[in-house]
Amino acid sequence: MQKMRIIFAFFILSFLLTPSLSFSAEILQDKQEIIKARVVSIVDQGTKDDTFVDKELFYQNLKFEILEGKNIGEVISLENDFVKLKEGQKVYLLKLTRADDGRITYVVHDVDRMPWIIFFTILFIFVVVIFGGIQGIRGLLSLAGGMFLIFYILLPQIVAGASPLLVSIFVASLIVIVGSYITHGLNRTTSSAVVGMVITVVLTGLLAYFAVYITALSGLDNEEAIYLSLNSYGSIDLGGLLMGGIIIGLLGVLYDSAIGQAISVEELWRANPELSKKYVFKRALRIGREHIGALVNTLAIAYVGASLPLLVLFSFPSDISSTFLINREMFATEIIRALIGSIGLVLAVPITTMIAVVMLHGRKFKGHIHEHTHSH
């Protein structure tokens, strides 16, 4: 009887598995390829009714010349309603080869923006060098160093499966160290700012972890995150990636705040070395408080600007309550991101000021001059 059960189970498993195996073997995937092309001529263009959006949409019948791949030089005709194109304009086409019959279709995927991206990059470098001088050059080197650390340490480690939060804290600290010393030199003032920034980065990371955990944010608040989850088969911690994004997004404004506080402490003692640590801390903190409002406002507005399309979308009349909309993950994520980043900025001011006061107290500054104003 037991042997009959085993044979029966074998046949059942064979029946269940065989169709799925044969089915998976028959699955054929269409081949997709991105190729560059140039608009040769505009055959026809105009508008047509679209019942879905209840408005007229433009269209173009164009001829394209393939600029790369095995079909280079080939001219194809294609209808375009993606974005209005001009003769001679270069674009990227999506070439789709069907797996079942080999039929090839093309669709306009995107325009070629690289010439203008290069132009504005050169313009940016030119303006920074001309008006920033040696400090501008140092700033560019610092920026290059930060980008190198992000693209060659942060991203590969996250893709490899490392904790996005821990890697982001580590790389953010490296960016702070490299950028500060390249831009402002190896001295005690810069070191005090670096220590303050590293401590702030760690505290902000811990706060981001708590905030993301307690608010149950998954990190799946946009299409990019969803595609990333699918492409990585769920191996990347999107919640941790959200925390890491909060930290990396904080660095630019944090850097400005911390360096400013350290230099404020230095300048106060440079003006009068006899001032007490308590007095210098209070005066420098007073300077920092003036910056806090502007810095927090800058960070919050930057996040609002990045989320503007989303805000416009939810500004349309709806029966859904505003409380529910704010509670949705796509809104809650941006709110938490802005709040945690702002808290980190506020904490950076007293932390960096205190560290600068301790590290710079009693230091002999070169070039100290007592200035006296006489009335005649």
Side-chain angles (χ1 to χ4, degrees):
M1 189 66 179
Q2 186 176 2
K3 187 179 293 186
M4 289 296 294
R5 287 177 180 174
I6 294 174
I7 294 173
F8 179 75
F10 172 79
F11 277 110
I12 291 295
L13 288 173
S14 299
F15 175 78
L16 292 174
L17 292 177
T18 301
S20 62
L21 291 174
S22 61
F23 176 74
S24 62
E26 292 174 1
I27 293 178
L28 297 174
Q29 291 186 342
D30 296 338
K31 182 182 178 182
Q32 296 185 5
E33 183 181 0
I34 302 294
I35 58 174
K36 186 180 286 189
R38 180 176 60 88
V39 179
V40 176
S41 63
I42 301 175
V43 178
D44 180 36
Q45 64 181 1
T47 58
K48 57 184 179 180
D49 293 330
D50 191 299
T51 55
F52 181 73
V53 295
D54 194 24
K55 65 180 293 187
E56 289 189 339
L57 301 178
F58 89 97
Y59 74 92
Q60 293 176 308
N61 288 318
L62 307 170
K63 286 188 176 182
F64 293 91
E65 178 188 2
I66 306 299
L67 300 179
E68 60 185 13
K70 62 181 181 180
N71 299 112
I72 187 170
E74 180 183 342
V75 177
I76 61 172
S77 297
L78 185 63
E79 182 174 305
N80 164 55
D81 57 4
F82 172 68
V83 64
K84 190 169 291 187
L85 302 175
K86 304 174 184 177
E87 286 189 8
Q89 189 170 1
K90 293 180 180 179
V91 300
Y92 288 97
L93 302 179
L94 174 61
K95 178 183 178 182
L96 182 64
T97 305
R98 291 177 60 91
D100 51 0
D101 56 8
R103 185 163 59 91
I104 296 175
T105 57
Y106 293 90
V107 64
V108 178
H109 188 267
D110 214 337
V111 299
D112 180 17
R113 303 181 180 90
M114 283 308 299
W116 286 110
I117 291 175
I118 294 172
F119 168 78
F120 285 113
T121 301
I122 294 173
L123 180 62
F124 164 71
I125 294 173
F126 175 79
V127 170
V128 169
V129 171
I130 292 298
F131 296 102
I134 188 66
Q135 284 299 105
I137 295 174
R138 287 182 174 182
L140 290 174
L141 293 175
S142 172
L143 176 61
M147 292 297 103
F148 177 86
L149 292 172
I150 289 174
F151 282 98
Y152 290 95
I153 296 182
L154 176 66
L155 299 183
Q157 287 298 315
I158 292 177
V159 171
S163 168
L165 176 60
L166 295 180
V167 174
S168 295
I169 291 176
F170 174 71
V171 171
S173 301
L174 286 181
I175 291 174
V176 161
I177 294 169
V178 172
S180 299
Y181 287 128
I182 288 178
T183 307
H184 299 280
L186 185 60
N187 53 66
R188 194 175 298 185
T189 302
T190 305
S191 297
S192 63
V194 166
V195 174
M197 282 187 279
V198 171
I199 293 175
T200 303
V201 164
V202 174
L203 290 177
T204 305
L206 294 174
L207 192 58
Y209 176 82
F210 174 76
V212 171
Y213 174 77
I214 204 70
T215 55
L217 295 177
S218 66
L220 289 166
D221 60 307
N222 53 59
E223 289 184 3
E224 291 82 2
I226 295 172
Y227 290 143
L228 175 60
S229 179
L230 293 174
N231 290 337
S232 64
Y233 299 100
S235 62
I236 294 179
D237 177 13
L238 296 181
L241 198 61
L242 171 60
M243 303 172 205
I246 293 174
I247 295 171
I248 299 299
L250 173 70
L251 287 185
V253 188
L254 173 64
Y255 179 85
D256 177 63
S257 174
I259 291 292
Q261 286 307 111
I263 291 177
S264 296
V265 172
E266 177 187 320
E267 289 302 316
L268 284 168
W269 264 320
R270 188 183 292 273
N272 185 356
E274 305 301 322
L275 296 175
S276 67
K277 290 194 290 185
K278 182 178 180 181
Y279 181 84
V280 170
F281 176 78
K282 289 177 64 177
R283 293 299 91 198
L285 194 61
R286 170 73 177 80
I287 297 172
R289 284 172 180 162
E290 292 299 316
H291 289 296
I292 284 176
L295 292 173
V296 169
N297 186 54
T298 299
L299 189 64
I301 296 300
Y303 284 131
V304 170
S307 306
L308 195 57
L310 180 64
L311 294 174
V312 173
L313 174 63
F314 285 104
S315 296
F316 284 95
S318 173
D319 295 331
I320 303 175
S321 67
S322 57
T323 303
F324 176 77
L325 290 177
I326 293 174
N327 188 72
R328 292 191 63 178
E329 180 159 0
M330 59 181 69
F331 266 124
T333 296
E334 297 306 320
I335 293 172
I336 293 297
R337 196 194 306 270
L339 291 177
I340 299 302
S342 299
I343 291 172
L345 283 179
V346 174
L347 292 177
V349 171
I351 290 173
T352 307
T353 304
M354 184 180 301
I355 291 171
V357 166
V358 172
M359 293 183 64
L360 299 180
H361 181 252
R363 177 187 173 192
K364 302 297 181 182
F365 298 102
K366 293 181 180 180
H368 170 68
I369 299 176
H370 288 282
E371 294 184 354
H372 301 276
T373 303
H374 300 279
S375 301
H376 296 283

